[in-house]
Each structure stands twice: as structure tokens, then as C-alpha cells.
Amino acid sequence: MIKVSVVGAKGRMGSYVVEAVNNAADTQLALALDAGDDLTRIAPDNTDVVVEFTVPSVSLNNVLTLIGQGVDVVVGTTGWTDEKLAQVKEAIAGGPKPETQKVFIAPNFAISAVLVDYFATKAAKYFESAEVITKVDAPSGTAIHTAHGIAEARKAAGMAPVPDATETDGGSRGQVVDGIHVHAVRLRGLNAHEEVLFGNAGEQLTIRADSFDRTSFMPGV
């Protein structure tokens, strides 16, 4: 039986994680902690793995604390940068389990979103143009990850930069992530959404994923 502690247990995603852990046959809820709770209560003797679903402003400090406690961590919070990831790697190297410590940070846990990311990297080298449309943050961690994957695939294929015939730009072209335009949609009723558009002369490929309920993230967690 895997002993799982949840940090952010009262949040929108954290509450679903708690429910999923309680309902799974091979997991047992160890501790359910939220804002203001002492994370040092989590230790290897009571927890095998921690699921951290909070907010970007506190996630890094939470993960650094948990590394210091010597427990493995699965992170679903967005907002991770290269600088933050570097701090995590440094903490692991100086922590109590430098050889075996595991921290898994995922931009998205929905199977559909993971497949969009995968398919996009496979399609990227076949199309002259590529853009990403997403919902949640502006842009979301998922969209940033997808854009980087597309850019890497294009670079490996020796492709030229994405053409852009824009004559005037009032700021509506979206953020450029590694040469790929990323657009964010804030639409009532839209829970989670990612759409990748590829284009050649006379044709277009659309790869799209929608999550209508947060339960869609739980199998991946």
C-alpha cells in the first residue's frame, strides 16, 4: 500500500487528489495538509510520496521543504521556470537523499493533454507554421512545454523560423515562446483546453484536447 500525503488538500485540485487516493485500491491517505499547516509533519516514516497541488507563489518553497524531509514529490502546480527547477536540482543534490530523491513536476496530468504534447512534437517537422492556443494561465505551463517541444522538433529537422506576415501588431499575437506564438483564452465554462494549429499552403492540422472536469487529471496523478 502506497502512503500518500497531499499538500493543498483543500484546494480545487487537491480535494480531487484526496478523493482519488481514498478511492484507489493501492494507495492510502497519510496526511492532508493545506495553507498554514506544518509540512515537516511529512516524513519517510509516514509518507511514501507527496502530491503537491497548490499555487505558484508557494509551490517552490513547499517542494524545497519536502526535499529536506527526504520524501518523494509529485508536483501538479504550474508556473515552473528554469530558475526554479535549478533550485530544486540544487536542493536534491544537498538533501538527505541525493542519489535516490525523486521529484516529478508535470505541466499537465490529463492523458489527452499529454498526447497532444506528444503528437505535436511528431507533427512539427511537417508543417511550415505552428501556433498554440490554451486556457488557464497566460500562457499555461502546458502550453509553454508544448511550444518548447515543437521548437525542438523544428530545430532538429533544420526548419526555418515560423513565417509571420503580420503587418501591424497591437499585442494580440500572443506571447512568443521559443519562436512559437502562444495564445491564451479566458472563457467562462472552459475548464482546461489546449489546441495546437499547424499549417502549410492549402492545409491545416488541428490537435486539440479539452478537459470538462478535474477528474480527468486524476489517472495521470
Side-chain angles (χ1 to χ4, degrees):
M1 188 72 71
I2 303 171
K3 295 177 290 185
V4 182
S5 287
V6 180
V7 175
K10 295 181 180 178
R12 289 177 296 180
M13 284 302 302
S15 59
Y16 277 94
V17 175
V18 170
E19 183 178 357
V21 170
N22 284 328
N23 290 337
D26 59 348
T27 58
Q28 173 186 337
L29 184 64
L31 294 169
L33 305 183
D34 209 79
D37 291 332
D38 183 6
L39 297 190
T40 61
R41 292 169 55 194
I42 299 174
D45 61 348
N46 60 34
T47 299
D48 295 315
V49 63
V50 182
V51 178
E52 201 273 356
F53 255 117
T54 57
V55 294
S57 60
V58 302
S59 185
L60 174 60
N61 286 337
N62 287 346
V63 172
L64 296 180
T65 298
L66 294 166
I67 291 172
Q69 291 298 104
V71 292
D72 296 333
V73 191
V74 173
V75 184
T77 309
T78 60
W80 287 87
T81 62
D82 289 340
E83 291 76 14
K84 290 181 178 180
L85 293 174
Q87 291 185 58
V88 170
K89 292 177 182 178
E90 183 179 352
I92 292 173
K97 296 167 45 180
E99 302 299 327
T100 60
Q101 179 81 61
K102 298 178 180 64
V103 177
F104 180 75
I105 301 173
N108 201 305
F109 284 101
I111 293 172
S112 59
V114 173
L115 289 174
V116 164
D117 191 72
Y118 175 77
F119 293 147
T121 62
K122 297 302 179 184
K125 65 181 180 180
Y126 298 105
F127 291 87
E128 186 180 17
S129 298
E131 305 206 8
V132 181
I133 302 171
T134 186
K135 186 268 179 188
V136 187
D137 300 318
S140 70
T142 303
I144 292 172
H145 190 268
T146 300
H148 284 313
I150 292 171
E152 289 174 5
R154 291 175 61 87
K155 182 179 179 180
M159 300 178 70
V162 173
D164 190 343
T166 303
E167 296 182 2
T168 60
D169 185 1
S172 62
R173 287 289 289 125
Q175 181 175 332
V176 179
V177 177
D178 213 354
I180 306 298
H181 280 275
V182 178
H183 312 269
V185 177
R186 301 296 296 177
L187 186 68
R188 179 72 70 183
L190 193 64
N191 182 42
H193 161 80
E194 183 178 34
E195 186 173 6
V196 184
L197 305 177
F198 292 104
N200 283 331
E203 66 174 340
Q204 178 177 304
L205 172 67
T206 301
I207 306 173
R208 171 173 172 155
D210 289 285
S211 293
F212 304 109
D213 190 277
R214 290 185 176 86
T215 55
S216 65
F217 301 107
M218 292 306 103
V221 175

